[in-house]
Amino acid sequence: MSTDPNAKYQSPLTSRYASPEMAANFSNNKRFGTWRRLWYNLAAAEKELGLPGISDTALKQMHANLDTIDYAVADAEEKKRRHDVMAHVHAFGIAAPEAAGIIHLGATSCFVTDNADLIIFRDAMDLLINKLVCVISALSQFAETHRALPTLGFTHFQPAQLTTVGKRATLWVQELLWDLRNMQRARDDLGFRGVKGTTGTQASFLALFAGDHEKVEQLDALVTEMSGFSECYPVCGQTYSRKIDVDFMAPLASFGATAHRIATDIRLLANLKEIEEPFERDQIGSSAMAYKRNPMRSERICSLARHLMILIGDVLQTASVQWLERTLDDSANRRISIPEACLTADIVLTTLQNVVEGLVVYPKVIERRIRSELPFRATENFIMAMVKKGGDRQECHEQIRVLSHEAAAVVKQEGGDNDLIERVRACAYFAPIRDDLDELLNPATFIGRAPQQVDSFVAKHVAPALEPYKHIIESKKPAELSV
């Protein structure tokens, strides 16, 4: 068997895209190191509560070997026993021989597997939240910078009334703020499975403490606290309820929808040549068409976001088919779906930050498109101006209608430029407002309260939401992509 890593399949999530910190969070070192910490916490708490047979030397040996995992020993034992937890109990016992007889005392496999998962999931969400607030901060700055830059709005991807580049960005930021709320809530709602025994009754621990219910409750609370949680789930079967996985994954799936929407908008705007994602000096857009500047980062976001959005289906199905106190058909699925969701969300966030921090705006292109469409949008202003000068609203409407259709025919049938303004200037009927046309066509008069809305939104909603994460944002580094 070849030891060349390129001779076997590697997940692109870790080999190609994911950040080192998120990849490390789901590594074997993190998982099995967390198992050992949980075994140490359990033994230390049992000793503290007076359980005999646990020596100081045993605890010292356990503590000294929390991260010195002999995978060869563990793998050989698992191959023989077909049980990963007992394989690592055996490996830990060899590393800490004085503790070999008390490791995992009173516990079931889910004491380490489930509690470790909850720790790893919480740490993963912390990483994601830290990245999300940096994206929100960067995109909010973009919105403020372009708060008053008029741009053509689109509904149904057809030209509509004007907005501003910054106001459009606030639509993206608002959805990201909801994602931040959802992720923080999911993170804070994570509890600890605790010390519950094989079917959740704590019978083994009650036996260890000779029927002392209070000691068992103290043990549960103490191990929970030692493991970094303020509370544990009050009841469970052998596992914590897999509905918790649904609550954890739902915000990630929802964020996937947000990211897909933002990246799609950027791709559409790139096609219009109004906004582009960063394009590096030596980057190649197409192997055949050398002139191309493909929005590959935004396309990657969309591609991965679709994967992120569907993974919640796995945990929904798993939660729905858990029988009674538990079944093992959750295990293999969860090993894939939940880490992949966190890794994918991490990649999407890094890529999104990279895009947002490097967005390029082309005001002249935006201005040109406004000039081509604004005459039609300004017709209502022409009518109101004529009425103020004594004109008849209905007659004016008819005059504008005829001229508009003539100009539209030039654009659509002849491929010419929109000449509505020239037609209005040349029309004797509109002589009373001829000198006012330039002001009536000023794009800044068509954007309503868009700049003020940006200011208010950032001050009243973005700033308070980001305040708890100020230290993270201040220490953030530019998001760099390896590919």
Side-chain angles (χ1 to χ4, degrees), residues 365-433:
V365 177
I366 294 173
E367 182 182 344
R368 181 182 179 184
R369 181 160 284 105
I370 290 174
R371 286 200 307 268
S372 70
E373 296 288 347
L374 188 58
F376 293 134
R377 273 110 203 113
T379 53
E380 183 66 22
N381 285 12
F382 297 166
I383 293 172
M384 291 186 291
M386 282 294 295
V387 170
K388 288 180 180 179
K389 294 289 181 71
D392 179 274
R393 193 267 177 197
Q394 311 311 329
E395 183 180 357
C396 184
H397 183 279
E398 178 61 16
Q399 292 280 346
I400 284 288
R401 186 189 69 81
V402 172
L403 294 179
S404 296
H405 282 287
E406 291 174 352
V410 171
V411 174
K412 296 178 180 179
Q413 297 174 20
E414 301 176 17
D417 293 332
N418 187 338
D419 63 356
L420 176 59
I421 302 306
E422 286 70 22
R423 292 175 183 275
V424 172
R425 289 186 192 278
C427 180
Y429 178 82
F430 289 102
I433 64 169

Side-chain angles (χ1 to χ4, degrees), residues 26 31 34-35 38 112-122 190 240 242 245 334 338:
F26 286 96
R31 176 169 303 281
T34 303
W35 285 12
L38 288 165
V112 286
T113 57
D114 273 31
N115 283 323
D117 280 348
L118 291 164
I119 292 170
I120 291 168
F121 296 167
R122 186 180 62 177
L190 282 175
Y240 69 78
R242 295 314 185 213
D245 295 343
R334 293 176 70 254
I338 302 178

Side-chain angles (χ1 to χ4, degrees), residues 145 188 416 426:
T145 299
D188 293 342

Side-chain angles (χ1 to χ4, degrees), residues 90-263:
H90 176 76
F92 199 12
I94 292 176
E98 289 294 321
I102 55 91
I103 294 172
H104 200 65
L105 184 58
T108 187
S109 296
C110 287
F111 168 70
V112 286
T113 57
D114 273 31
N115 283 323
D117 280 348
L118 291 164
I119 292 170
I120 291 168
F121 296 167
R122 186 180 62 177
D123 291 348
M125 193 64 87
D126 283 339
L127 292 172
L128 296 176
I129 289 171
N130 290 350
K131 291 193 173 188
L132 177 56
V133 296
C134 291
V135 172
I136 293 172
S137 175
L139 194 51
S140 298
Q141 292 174 19
F142 176 87
E144 290 181 293
T145 299
H146 303 287
R147 58 185 287 281
L149 179 60
T151 190
L152 191 64
F154 290 88
T155 57
H156 315 276
F157 201 45
Q158 301 299 312
Q161 294 297 327
L162 268 63
T163 181
T164 69
V165 172
K167 170 61 191 303
R168 177 180 284 146
T170 63
L171 303 181
W172 304 335
V173 174
Q174 180 170 245
E175 294 189 8
L176 291 171
L177 285 177
W178 291 333
D179 292 321
L180 175 60
R181 174 203 63 193
N182 296 342
M183 287 188 191
Q184 189 65 61
R185 180 185 297 161
R187 187 265 183 221
D188 293 342
D189 281 351
L190 282 175
F192 196 60
R193 177 193 176 273
V195 179
K196 297 297 195 294
T198 54
T199 57
T201 66
Q202 298 177 309
S204 58
F205 296 104
L206 190 63
L208 283 175
F209 285 99
D212 190 330
H213 291 268
E214 185 177 349
K215 282 284 181 70
V216 174
E217 290 185 5
Q218 289 176 348
L219 178 68
D220 203 0
L222 184 55
V223 174
T224 297
E225 181 182 354
M226 293 171 69
S227 301
F229 286 80
S230 60
E231 62 180 12
C232 63
Y233 298 117
V235 294
C236 68
Q238 188 171 93
T239 69
Y240 69 78
S241 170
R242 295 314 185 213
K243 191 171 179 65
I244 299 300
D245 295 343
V246 176
D247 292 346
F248 177 80
M249 291 273 279
L252 304 187
S254 181
F255 164 69
T258 302
H260 198 292
R261 181 265 170 99
I262 295 172

